[in-house]
Amino acid sequence: MSDEKFMQAAISEAIKARERNEVPIGAVIVQDGEVIASGYNLRETSQQTLSHAELLAIEAANEKVGSWRLEDCTLYVTLEPCPMCAGAIVQSRIKRVVYGAPDPKAGCAGTLFNLLEESRFNHQVEVTSGVLQEECASLLTDFFKTLRQRKNK
């Protein structure tokens, strides 16, 4: 049940992104059963490549724990991490990633590649996929449908 509870928190972050006309992707980082950091996409607002939900949450978690190592943490994210985020997850030593919707265009936690469980790296991350998948996916499909409708008017 806790995976669903924390994914709901990530979904809440994604809704914050949507309210800012950002792609609705949200992330939370959990340590010892408590959310210690969160983030949502801000790439359009900031015009910064690195403003993905996962990276913002990792940065906040680093500040919270006072270390770049997040070894006892789980990251919950509404969309499967891209290559950039997957690399940061491995580098931060996050123990586990739980994601909602797969990403057929950039997913690097099992869809296109699995950088998180790559045995040649010095750290592997346990992956759980499909948690609240329909809810996570509908946030994205509804957002892009609305965006296309606005452009066609």
Side-chain angles (χ1 to χ4, degrees):
M1 184 60 193
S2 63
D3 281 350
E4 288 82 7
K5 170 187 160 188
F6 292 121
M7 186 60 73
Q8 276 300 140
I11 289 169
S12 294
E13 291 297 310
I15 291 168
K16 291 177 188 176
R18 182 185 66 197
E19 289 169 353
R20 295 182 70 152
N21 292 317
E22 291 279 352
V23 177
I25 300 168
V28 297
I29 296 179
V30 174
Q31 184 179 48
D32 298 325
E34 175 187 337
V35 174
I36 62 164
S38 61
Y40 55 88
N41 267 19
L42 285 173
R43 193 166 59 173
E44 296 302 320
T45 301
S46 71
Q47 288 299 302
Q48 298 291 315
T49 303
L50 302 178
S51 295
H52 283 203
E54 301 96 318
L55 298 182
L56 296 172
I58 288 169
E59 185 176 15
N62 292 149
E63 289 178 28
K64 174 81 174 177
V65 302
S67 174
W68 63 270
R69 292 179 177 270
L70 301 173
E71 295 168 320
D72 298 323
C73 295
T74 299
L75 182 140
Y76 292 83
V77 61
T78 56
L79 182 66
E80 180 181 3
C82 72
M84 175 177 68
C85 293
I89 290 163
V90 169
Q91 290 298 312
S92 66
R93 308 298 194 265
I94 287 173
K95 181 177 182 177
R96 181 172 176 243
V97 167
V98 179
Y99 71 85
D103 184 350
K105 295 182 179 180
C108 282
T111 298
L112 297 179
F113 298 102
N114 193 341
L115 294 177
L116 298 180
E117 295 179 320
E118 173 56 56
S119 63
R120 293 173 291 180
F121 290 145
N122 64 344
H123 177 74
Q124 290 77 43
V125 181
E126 178 187 339
V127 176
T128 301
S129 61
V131 175
L132 300 182
Q133 180 174 336
E134 287 183 27
E135 193 170 344
C136 292
S138 69
L139 275 170
L140 290 160
T141 54
D142 293 348
F143 175 80
F144 286 113
K145 181 179 178 183
T146 300
L147 200 61
R148 283 189 300 276
Q149 288 171 344
R150 285 185 197 150
K151 285 182 179 182
N152 291 332
K153 286 186 178 181

